[in-house]
Amino acid sequence: MYGIDIGVTGLSAVSDRDEDAQDILIRRLQAIDHLTAQDRHLISSLCFDVVDIPPRTDFVREGDRQTRCCLLMDGVVIRSNFTRSGERQIQSVHIPGDVPDLQSLHLRRMDHYIGSVSQCRVAFVAHDQVLRVLRDSPHLTAILWRETLIDAALYRAIIVRNARLGSTERLAHFICEMWCRFDAVGLTDRNGFAFPMTQEMVGQVLGLSIVSVNRSMQILRSDRLVVWDRGRINILDWTQLAEIAQFDPTFLHLNE
């Protein structure tokens, strides 16, 4: 389906990285709500199996019965489904700090694929450990419930963006969204952020051909709003870019 299609067996394990995974998870959860000292202590009790995953590898597959959740530590992953003819629709893009299969705690079978875009580092944590932490902390339970609601809000925004905006506006909206999400976990600098997705992949997110994505990017570049080059996006004029995109970050529900 998506390059290499394998489970986690055989991927490169990385030892002694529990603290790194815990820190990334704490940073992500703090972006949506305040964490108490007890919350931090419970997160520090989680044990992670940290794995390096090569680019373009499906490591969660439709039909899988998951016993672990995955926390993305580094890189970018996507959630996808495929038609019978093998055409892919990318449904969401996930960045470090995200837990893209959080719903596997309660849904028996996966109904989509999760695959790496770039070289990724993923930390797997057993469901029973997560459920233990949630039993001990109603506050953390509420934060993760809020996280699933934010995931639903992202889908609502995607439906409006892809159904009602023109190609240039869609691309501008997507770039604004990515900037806000990367910035919330400290992965932007003064001008932009590293972004490994190809224009073809972005087209699969936006429901556009690669020709339309390229044309829209040229418009944004010629208007001196965005430069996208060599795996990096630089935003030159945020105010105008957000205006073209009709972008309102409320749907991200980030912790002010």
Side-chain angles (χ1 to χ4, degrees):
M1 286 293 193
Y2 179 41
I4 308 167
D5 185 15
I6 57 177
V8 297
T9 302
L11 298 178
S12 176
V14 181
S15 60
D16 300 326
R17 301 305 296 268
D18 280 355
E19 290 185 6
D20 289 346
Q22 293 158 6
D23 288 346
I24 290 169
L25 181 58
I26 286 170
R27 190 191 314 162
R28 172 66 185 113
L29 296 181
Q30 284 185 147
I32 59 175
D33 203 352
H34 172 71
L35 294 182
T36 67
Q38 181 192 15
D39 295 333
R40 291 169 176 269
H41 174 73
L42 287 169
I43 291 171
S44 70
S45 72
L46 294 172
C47 296
F48 292 89
D49 181 15
V50 180
V51 176
D52 285 333
I53 297 178
R56 300 200 175 203
T57 302
D58 287 318
F59 58 93
V60 174
R61 294 165 292 183
E62 184 177 5
D64 282 354
R65 290 181 179 270
Q66 294 291 92
T67 60
R68 305 187 293 179
C69 289
C70 60
L71 166 70
L72 182 59
M73 297 178 65
D74 189 46
V76 171
V77 305
I78 54 175
R79 180 185 290 155
S80 304
N81 278 111
F82 296 85
T83 65
R84 288 182 180 177
S85 61
E87 294 178 298
R88 179 179 60 196
Q89 176 64 49
I90 297 176
Q91 299 164 332
S92 57
V93 178
H94 295 275
I95 69 172
D98 286 355
V99 184
D101 62 348
L102 185 61
Q103 66 269 37
S104 69
L105 280 172
H106 301 292
L107 298 180
R108 292 184 178 180
R109 286 185 180 271
M110 298 299 292
D111 57 15
H112 57 272
Y113 291 79
I114 298 175
S116 58
V117 171
S118 58
Q119 180 78 19
C120 290
R121 179 159 289 181
V122 175
F124 293 90
V125 58
H127 284 171
D128 59 358
Q129 289 197 52
V130 178
L131 292 171
R132 169 184 56 79
V133 165
L134 297 184
R135 283 193 297 268
D136 290 343
S137 174
H139 186 231
L140 276 177
T141 300
I143 291 175
L144 290 186
W145 172 228
R146 178 179 168 85
E147 177 76 345
T148 62
L149 294 175
I150 292 172
D151 202 34
L154 283 168
Y155 274 93
R156 290 193 292 272
I158 288 168
I159 290 170
V160 174
R161 180 192 69 203
N162 288 4
R164 295 301 178 186
L165 298 184
S167 58
T168 303
E169 290 80 8
R170 286 187 216 179
L171 180 59
H173 192 282
F174 177 69
I175 291 171
C176 288
E177 176 197 323
M178 289 294 102
W179 163 268
C180 289
R181 290 173 59 193
F182 274 85
D183 189 58
V185 291
L187 294 176
T188 60
D189 55 32
R190 181 177 178 182
N191 298 315
F193 54 100
F195 193 65
M197 292 184 72
T198 65
Q199 290 190 5
E200 180 184 11
M201 291 176 183
V202 171
Q204 291 167 352
V205 174
L206 302 178
L208 297 171
S209 68
I210 188 170
V211 173
S212 293
V213 174
N214 185 265
R215 184 184 301 119
S216 296
M217 179 52 64
Q218 292 306 317
I219 291 171
L220 296 178
R221 181 191 291 267
S222 64
D223 288 343
R224 301 187 62 80
L225 302 180
V226 172
V227 174
W228 183 3
D229 186 40
R230 298 180 182 178
R232 179 179 171 84
I233 293 178
N234 286 329
I235 297 178
L236 308 181
D237 187 336
W238 168 265
T239 301
Q240 187 60 26
L241 184 69
E243 177 67 22
I244 288 173
Q246 304 179 45
F247 184 77
D248 179 350
T250 301
F251 72 96
L252 296 171
H253 298 281
L254 296 172
N255 186 7
E256 293 181 355

